[in-house]
Amino acid sequence: VQLQASGGGLVQAGNSLRLSCAASGRSFSNGVMGWFRQAPGKEREFVSAMFRGGSTHYAESVKGRFTISSDNAKNTMYLQMNSLKPEDTAVYYCAADDTIPSFMVSPDHWGQGTLVTVSS
């Protein structure tokens, strides 16, 4: 399984950004796919996940601002990030696992990360 994240960059607070995660060797319709992030000097934290069947889950800090989605035909997952805040600045990682409990603790598969910087 290979995950390739892209789409990070520098944006001003209040603006939007969309991250992409292309998968090979794994279908987005199986298991759990999602995003984590790690801000400078902080531990990595859960951001969002999409489960088999299409249900989604978000961290409280991004709920209402971020939307996770997928294009199964392209085997690509997205994270639409709106109303960005400086505290959203982090390296964002896409991840995948077969089960929800394993995904929420430590996913088996990780992308390389893409940096998002939000200026005030």
Side-chain angles (χ1 to χ4, degrees):
V1 177
Q2 287 190 332
L3 304 175
Q4 182 74 33
S6 62
L10 173 64
V11 295
Q12 287 189 327
N15 285 352
S16 301
L17 206 59
R18 189 178 78 160
L19 305 183
S20 300
C21 178
S24 59
R26 182 182 184 91
S27 170
F28 279 100
S29 60
N30 298 325
V32 185
M33 306 287 295
W35 297 89
F36 288 75
R37 68 186 181 186
Q38 186 166 20
K42 295 187 177 181
E43 293 187 355
R44 188 156 48 194
E45 64 176 3
F46 167 78
V47 175
S48 180
M50 177 175 284
F51 309 125
R52 184 185 295 115
S55 60
T56 58
H57 180 55
Y58 298 92
E60 285 297 324
S61 59
V62 306
K63 197 173 292 184
R65 300 187 297 121
F66 291 11
T67 303
I68 190 172
S69 63
S70 68
D71 184 333
N72 291 338
K74 296 181 179 180
N75 221 27
T76 300
M77 176 177 63
Y78 304 99
L79 184 68
Q80 178 67 42
M81 305 185 295
N82 297 331
S83 302
L84 283 162
K85 304 175 181 180
E87 51 263 43
D88 294 318
T89 295
V91 177
Y92 284 71
Y93 299 90
C94 56
D97 204 298
D98 290 332
T99 69
I100 295 174
S102 180
F103 179 87
M104 297 304 292
V105 172
S106 182
D108 285 340
H109 308 288
W110 292 91
Q112 87 286 6
T114 185
L115 176 62
V116 173
T117 303
V118 184
S119 63
S120 57

